[in-house]
Amino acid sequence: MELIHFRILLALKRCGTLNAASETLHLTQSALSHQMKNLEQRLGIVLWRKQGRTLVLTQAGHYLSEVAESVIATVDSAEQHLNLLATGKTGKLTIGIDCHACYEWFRTILQPYLQAWPNLEIEVTSRYRFNSFEAIQQYKLDAVLTSDPVFNGVLHYQPLFDFELVLIVAKQHRLAGLQVIEPTDLQQETILTYPVERERLDMFRKILQPAGIEPLAHVTVEETDIMLLLAASQRGVCLLPEWLLADKAKNPDVVSLRFKNLPLTKTMYLATRHEDVQLDYIQWLIGHAQSKA
């Protein structure tokens, strides 16, 4: 049986006449009759009978029309859902977070995004932090927030905003009063970082290692809030995005410092597959993120 057979049975059941059913389905009466006769021949059973100018479904026809109700409803629902998926109106968006600090920023835009897309299933994960780009290609992730892009043409990277990395120290720290600092100023300091390999940490790859400096100690911290508290109590210093200190009231006991002749500007990107860039909910996320930068 084909979908057209189910649609014909439903039209006949609802309309009662061959003429009305053919108009509903945009078929000629002869085409409609031909389709049903072929089906009856294949099934070996009569599905309808004429009573005057109307058509009456047989017991078999009633049974098959009930099946048709369920089948057509499921198919129509699937077509509508696929159309919404194709146009980016609904679906599932699994976003990977490639850096710890990205969580702090993403929280500021997540609630408006959830409200704007109530039918979109959204999952935020750091499960693939160390292989997130491969995870996108394997359809385990749909997008990744990252400030360390790999421009190899495989993925689309949409810039969201630029930000600057600054050194965070306590207000009472010996360096706090300086206008600018040098990498050598950190030689006797405890460095606080997220638990990430050194080669991926900007503090080491952009500041300490180029200057040939090994700090006094290196302590890893999972949470940004804890890292800031440790810095405020002079338990160490840390390199973080300046926007984390945008709300000074939340961090009254720390200050931010910049390095002399060492710009530490980065860009936050949303990485996606090329085919997904124009999806409505991806474009909305990009536009919203850029407007909040």
Side-chain angles (χ1 to χ4, degrees):
M1 289 180 287
E2 301 176 11
L3 282 178
I4 186 59
H5 299 136
F6 290 126
R7 295 193 186 279
I8 290 172
L9 277 170
L10 286 183
L12 290 171
K13 182 178 180 180
R14 293 166 182 171
C15 299
T17 68
L18 191 63
N19 181 56
S22 64
E23 289 181 357
T24 299
L25 296 173
H26 305 289
L27 293 172
T28 64
Q29 293 184 40
S30 60
L32 190 151
S33 297
H34 181 71
Q35 287 278 1
M36 293 307 297
K37 285 179 181 178
N38 283 343
L39 179 60
E40 288 178 329
Q41 289 174 359
R42 276 191 285 163
L43 295 176
I45 195 168
V46 175
L47 299 173
W48 61 1
R49 297 185 188 281
K50 286 187 178 182
Q51 286 186 357
R53 301 182 63 181
T54 63
L55 294 173
V56 178
L57 295 177
T58 64
Q59 183 178 352
H62 276 292
Y63 167 75
L64 201 55
S65 70
E66 291 176 3
V67 174
E69 292 275 6
S70 175
V71 171
I72 295 303
T74 301
V75 170
D76 287 348
S77 176
E79 288 180 345
Q80 291 171 10
H81 187 73
L82 289 172
N83 182 58
L84 291 173
L85 286 174
T87 56
K89 303 296 184 185
T90 191
K92 179 177 181 180
L93 177 64
T94 304
I95 302 178
I97 305 294
D98 199 42
C99 62
H100 286 74
C102 296
Y103 270 109
E104 307 300 324
W105 170 80
F106 191 62
R107 286 176 184 151
T108 65
I109 69 167
L110 182 56
Q111 184 176 3
Y113 191 56
L114 292 172
Q115 292 174 341
W117 296 92
N119 297 321
L120 179 66
E121 184 180 348
I122 299 175
E123 180 184 354
V124 182
T125 180
S126 60
R127 189 182 312 132
Y128 304 102
R129 179 172 291 156
F130 300 114
N131 60 346
S132 55
F133 304 126
E134 292 85 355
I136 296 182
Q137 296 175 61
Q138 296 167 3
Y139 289 81
K140 296 176 181 177
L141 291 175
D142 301 303
V144 170
L145 281 171
T146 182
S147 58
D148 294 305
V150 180
F151 295 113
N152 56 11
V154 175
L155 299 177
H156 176 86
Y157 289 93
Q158 179 66 48
L160 301 179
F161 62 90
D162 296 329
F163 63 94
E164 186 177 5
L165 294 172
V166 292
L167 188 74
I168 307 297
V169 303
K171 276 191 173 181
Q172 297 78 25
H173 194 278
R174 64 182 180 85
L175 299 176
L178 299 179
Q179 294 295 319
V180 292
I181 57 175
E182 303 275 0
T184 52
D185 292 325
L186 303 183
Q187 198 154 8
Q188 297 303 312
E189 295 292 335
T190 294
I191 303 299
L192 307 172
T193 74
Y194 297 113
V196 178
E197 298 93 336
R198 281 194 176 193
E199 57 267 23
R200 300 186 74 227
L201 291 167
D202 291 313
M203 171 64 87
F204 284 92
R205 66 179 183 175
K206 293 188 176 182
I207 298 172
L208 299 178
Q209 289 174 349
I213 295 171
E214 182 63 29
L216 179 65
H218 176 203
V219 176
T220 60
V221 185
E222 287 278 355
E223 299 293 331
T224 303
D225 290 343
I226 301 300
M227 191 181 296
L228 288 171
L229 286 173
L230 290 172
S233 63
Q234 300 197 62
R235 304 292 183 92
V237 300
C238 51
L239 191 72
L240 292 172
E242 187 180 29
W243 45 261
L244 279 173
L245 297 183
D247 188 350
K248 302 294 184 183
K250 292 183 179 179
N251 303 286
D253 300 320
V254 296
V255 296
S256 59
L257 303 173
R258 289 171 173 79
F259 289 89
K260 182 179 180 181
N261 299 323
L262 187 59
L264 294 172
T265 300
K266 302 190 75 176
T267 300
M268 186 72 73
Y269 293 90
L270 184 70
T272 61
R273 293 179 290 271
H274 289 284
E275 72 231 42
D276 294 338
V277 176
Q278 296 306 318
L279 290 172
D280 285 0
Y281 54 80
I282 295 289
Q283 285 296 306
W284 197 98
L285 177 59
I286 291 170
H288 182 63
Q290 291 173 336
S291 71
K292 296 299 180 181

